[in-house]
mmCIF file of all heavy atoms in Angstrom:
data_model
loop_
_atom_site.group_PDB
_atom_site.id
_atom_site.type_symbol
_atom_site.label_atom_id
_atom_site.label_comp_id
_atom_site.label_asym_id
_atom_site.label_seq_id
_atom_site.Cartn_x
_atom_site.Cartn_y
_atom_site.Cartn_z
ATOM 1 N N GLY A 1 0.797 -1.218 0.000
ATOM 2 C CA GLY A 1 0.000 0.000 0.000
ATOM 3 C C GLY A 1 0.828 1.265 0.000
ATOM 4 O O GLY A 1 0.286 2.367 0.172
ATOM 5 N N GLY A 2 2.132 1.137 -0.137
ATOM 6 C CA GLY A 2 2.998 2.310 -0.224
ATOM 7 C C GLY A 2 3.669 2.708 1.074
ATOM 8 O O GLY A 2 4.410 3.695 1.103
ATOM 9 N N ILE A 3 3.421 1.976 2.148
ATOM 10 C CA ILE A 3 4.093 2.278 3.419
ATOM 11 C C ILE A 3 5.488 1.662 3.378
ATOM 12 O O ILE A 3 5.632 0.454 3.179
ATOM 13 C CB ILE A 3 3.277 1.738 4.611
ATOM 14 C CG1 ILE A 3 1.962 2.500 4.732
ATOM 15 C CG2 ILE A 3 4.077 1.855 5.907
ATOM 16 C CD1 ILE A 3 1.059 2.026 5.846
ATOM 17 N N LYS A 4 6.488 2.503 3.578
ATOM 18 C CA LYS A 4 7.867 2.046 3.448
ATOM 19 C C LYS A 4 8.283 1.242 4.676
ATOM 20 O O LYS A 4 7.975 1.612 5.813
ATOM 21 C CB LYS A 4 8.805 3.239 3.262
ATOM 22 C CG LYS A 4 8.546 3.993 1.964
ATOM 23 C CD LYS A 4 9.435 5.202 1.845
ATOM 24 C CE LYS A 4 9.117 5.970 0.558
ATOM 25 N NZ LYS A 4 9.930 7.195 0.432
ATOM 26 N N VAL A 5 8.988 0.154 4.409
ATOM 27 C CA VAL A 5 9.475 -0.708 5.490
ATOM 28 C C VAL A 5 10.998 -0.816 5.386
ATOM 29 O O VAL A 5 11.600 -0.368 4.409
ATOM 30 C CB VAL A 5 8.826 -2.109 5.396
ATOM 31 C CG1 VAL A 5 7.331 -2.015 5.633
ATOM 32 C CG2 VAL A 5 9.112 -2.763 4.054
ATOM 33 N N VAL A 6 11.583 -1.419 6.408
ATOM 34 C CA VAL A 6 13.045 -1.530 6.457
ATOM 35 C C VAL A 6 13.583 -2.306 5.263
ATOM 36 O O VAL A 6 14.570 -1.931 4.641
ATOM 37 C CB VAL A 6 13.479 -2.184 7.789
ATOM 38 C CG1 VAL A 6 14.973 -2.504 7.757
ATOM 39 C CG2 VAL A 6 13.162 -1.260 8.949
ATOM 40 N N GLY A 7 12.963 -3.411 4.915
ATOM 41 C CA GLY A 7 13.387 -4.191 3.755
ATOM 42 C C GLY A 7 14.513 -5.155 4.071
ATOM 43 O O GLY A 7 14.946 -5.302 5.222
ATOM 44 N N ALA A 8 15.005 -5.826 3.040
ATOM 45 C CA ALA A 8 16.053 -6.842 3.206
ATOM 46 C C ALA A 8 17.384 -6.200 3.547
ATOM 47 O O ALA A 8 17.736 -5.137 3.039
ATOM 48 C CB ALA A 8 16.184 -7.667 1.929
ATOM 49 N N ILE A 9 18.144 -6.853 4.429
ATOM 50 C CA ILE A 9 19.466 -6.382 4.847
ATOM 51 C C ILE A 9 20.476 -7.488 4.592
ATOM 52 O O ILE A 9 20.329 -8.602 5.096
ATOM 53 C CB ILE A 9 19.474 -6.018 6.354
ATOM 54 C CG1 ILE A 9 18.367 -4.995 6.671
ATOM 55 C CG2 ILE A 9 20.830 -5.492 6.769
ATOM 56 C CD1 ILE A 9 18.144 -4.797 8.145
ATOM 57 N N ALA A 10 21.499 -7.160 3.818
ATOM 58 C CA ALA A 10 22.562 -8.139 3.554
ATOM 59 C C ALA A 10 23.498 -8.199 4.752
ATOM 60 O O ALA A 10 24.089 -7.203 5.147
ATOM 61 C CB ALA A 10 23.338 -7.750 2.303
ATOM 62 N N ALA A 11 23.614 -9.374 5.382
ATOM 63 C CA ALA A 11 24.433 -9.537 6.585
ATOM 64 C C ALA A 11 25.822 -10.041 6.226
ATOM 65 O O ALA A 11 26.002 -10.808 5.278
ATOM 66 C CB ALA A 11 23.767 -10.498 7.553
ATOM 67 N N SER A 12 26.816 -9.608 7.000
ATOM 68 C CA SER A 12 28.189 -10.103 6.856
ATOM 69 C C SER A 12 28.940 -9.734 8.123
ATOM 70 O O SER A 12 28.600 -8.757 8.786
ATOM 71 C CB SER A 12 28.870 -9.487 5.627
ATOM 72 O OG SER A 12 28.896 -8.084 5.726
ATOM 73 N N PRO A 13 29.973 -10.505 8.492
ATOM 74 C CA PRO A 13 30.705 -10.214 9.727
ATOM 75 C C PRO A 13 31.546 -8.945 9.593
ATOM 76 O O PRO A 13 31.868 -8.515 8.478
ATOM 77 C CB PRO A 13 31.599 -11.450 9.900
ATOM 78 C CG PRO A 13 31.758 -11.987 8.521
ATOM 79 C CD PRO A 13 30.472 -11.705 7.820
ATOM 80 N N PRO A 14 31.927 -8.318 10.717
ATOM 81 C CA PRO A 14 32.756 -7.110 10.650
ATOM 82 C C PRO A 14 34.170 -7.429 10.177
ATOM 83 O O PRO A 14 34.679 -8.531 10.381
ATOM 84 C CB PRO A 14 32.759 -6.611 12.097
ATOM 85 C CG PRO A 14 32.510 -7.831 12.921
ATOM 86 C CD PRO A 14 31.608 -8.703 12.095
ATOM 87 N N SER A 15 34.799 -6.452 9.531
ATOM 88 C CA SER A 15 36.189 -6.591 9.087
ATOM 89 C C SER A 15 37.098 -6.032 10.172
ATOM 90 O O SER A 15 36.912 -4.902 10.626
ATOM 91 C CB SER A 15 36.402 -5.838 7.776
ATOM 92 O OG SER A 15 35.536 -6.321 6.779
ATOM 93 N N LEU A 16 38.071 -6.826 10.602
ATOM 94 C CA LEU A 16 38.970 -6.419 11.674
ATOM 95 C C LEU A 16 40.320 -6.009 11.112
ATOM 96 O O LEU A 16 40.767 -6.530 10.092
ATOM 97 C CB LEU A 16 39.148 -7.560 12.685
ATOM 98 C CG LEU A 16 37.866 -8.120 13.304
ATOM 99 C CD1 LEU A 16 38.198 -9.259 14.246
ATOM 100 C CD2 LEU A 16 37.103 -7.027 14.031
ATOM 101 N N GLY A 17 40.990 -5.075 11.791
ATOM 102 C CA GLY A 17 42.329 -4.665 11.386
ATOM 103 C C GLY A 17 42.449 -3.162 11.225
ATOM 104 O O GLY A 17 41.451 -2.432 11.183
ATOM 105 N N LEU A 18 43.700 -2.701 11.141
ATOM 106 C CA LEU A 18 43.975 -1.279 10.971
ATOM 107 C C LEU A 18 43.718 -0.862 9.531
ATOM 108 O O LEU A 18 43.968 -1.624 8.600
ATOM 109 C CB LEU A 18 45.422 -0.964 11.346
ATOM 110 C CG LEU A 18 45.759 -1.019 12.834
ATOM 111 C CD1 LEU A 18 47.263 -0.904 13.025
ATOM 112 C CD2 LEU A 18 45.054 0.103 13.569
ATOM 113 N N PRO A 19 43.230 0.367 9.314
ATOM 114 C CA PRO A 19 43.032 0.834 7.938
ATOM 115 C C PRO A 19 44.371 1.012 7.229
ATOM 116 O O PRO A 19 45.342 1.505 7.809
ATOM 117 C CB PRO A 19 42.314 2.175 8.124
ATOM 118 C CG PRO A 19 42.641 2.613 9.508
ATOM 119 C CD PRO A 19 42.793 1.353 10.312
ATOM 120 N N SER A 20 44.428 0.596 5.972
ATOM 121 C CA SER A 20 45.642 0.713 5.176
ATOM 122 C C SER A 20 45.611 2.043 4.424
ATOM 123 O O SER A 20 44.932 2.183 3.400
ATOM 124 C CB SER A 20 45.748 -0.456 4.190
ATOM 125 O OG SER A 20 46.898 -0.324 3.396
ATOM 126 N N VAL A 21 46.339 3.036 4.945
ATOM 127 C CA VAL A 21 46.321 4.386 4.381
ATOM 128 C C VAL A 21 47.713 4.990 4.465
ATOM 129 O O VAL A 21 48.631 4.403 5.052
ATOM 130 C CB VAL A 21 45.321 5.285 5.141
ATOM 131 C CG1 VAL A 21 43.889 4.857 4.882
ATOM 132 C CG2 VAL A 21 45.604 5.260 6.632
ATOM 133 N N GLY A 22 47.859 6.179 3.888
ATOM 134 C CA GLY A 22 49.142 6.863 3.899
ATOM 135 C C GLY A 22 49.075 8.198 4.621
ATOM 136 O O GLY A 22 48.004 8.665 5.023
ATOM 137 N N PHE A 23 50.249 8.859 4.751
ATOM 138 C CA PHE A 23 50.322 10.131 5.466
ATOM 139 C C PHE A 23 49.515 11.215 4.760
ATOM 140 O O PHE A 23 48.940 12.096 5.409
ATOM 141 C CB PHE A 23 51.787 10.568 5.591
ATOM 142 C CG PHE A 23 51.945 11.894 6.282
ATOM 143 C CD1 PHE A 23 51.765 12.016 7.645
ATOM 144 C CD2 PHE A 23 52.260 13.041 5.550
ATOM 145 C CE1 PHE A 23 51.893 13.238 8.285
ATOM 146 C CE2 PHE A 23 52.398 14.269 6.175
ATOM 147 C CZ PHE A 23 52.215 14.362 7.544
ATOM 148 N N SER A 24 49.482 11.160 3.424
ATOM 149 C CA SER A 24 48.719 12.164 2.689
ATOM 150 C C SER A 24 47.234 12.082 3.040
ATOM 151 O O SER A 24 46.532 13.104 3.063
ATOM 152 C CB SER A 24 48.917 11.977 1.182
ATOM 153 O OG SER A 24 48.487 10.682 0.784
ATOM 154 N N ASP A 25 46.754 10.874 3.314
ATOM 155 C CA ASP A 25 45.355 10.714 3.723
ATOM 156 C C ASP A 25 45.110 11.354 5.081
ATOM 157 O O ASP A 25 44.081 12.005 5.309
ATOM 158 C CB ASP A 25 44.987 9.229 3.773
ATOM 159 C CG ASP A 25 45.128 8.549 2.429
ATOM 160 O OD1 ASP A 25 44.754 9.163 1.416
ATOM 161 O OD2 ASP A 25 45.627 7.404 2.391
ATOM 162 N N VAL A 26 46.069 11.170 5.980
ATOM 163 C CA VAL A 26 45.956 11.767 7.315
ATOM 164 C C VAL A 26 45.897 13.290 7.196
ATOM 165 O O VAL A 26 45.061 13.955 7.830
ATOM 166 C CB VAL A 26 47.134 11.343 8.203
ATOM 167 C CG1 VAL A 26 47.108 12.088 9.536
ATOM 168 C CG2 VAL A 26 47.098 9.835 8.443
ATOM 169 N N ARG A 27 46.781 13.837 6.403
ATOM 170 C CA ARG A 27 46.827 15.297 6.243
ATOM 171 C C ARG A 27 45.529 15.821 5.625
ATOM 172 O O ARG A 27 45.015 16.859 6.034
ATOM 173 C CB ARG A 27 48.016 15.672 5.362
ATOM 174 C CG ARG A 27 48.250 17.170 5.230
ATOM 175 C CD ARG A 27 49.546 17.427 4.493
ATOM 176 N NE ARG A 27 49.545 16.753 3.197
ATOM 177 C CZ ARG A 27 50.622 16.621 2.416
ATOM 178 N NH1 ARG A 27 51.784 17.108 2.831
ATOM 179 N NH2 ARG A 27 50.540 16.014 1.259
ATOM 180 N N ALA A 28 44.983 15.098 4.647
ATOM 181 C CA ALA A 28 43.762 15.550 3.978
ATOM 182 C C ALA A 28 42.549 15.499 4.906
ATOM 183 O O ALA A 28 41.652 16.344 4.814
ATOM 184 C CB ALA A 28 43.511 14.694 2.742
#
């Protein structure tokens, strides 16, 4: 009837670990 619902959610486990980035990313 047009009432919006949450809908399907794709599940997956969390990703662990430090982000792989550089110093330029930190500065930006």
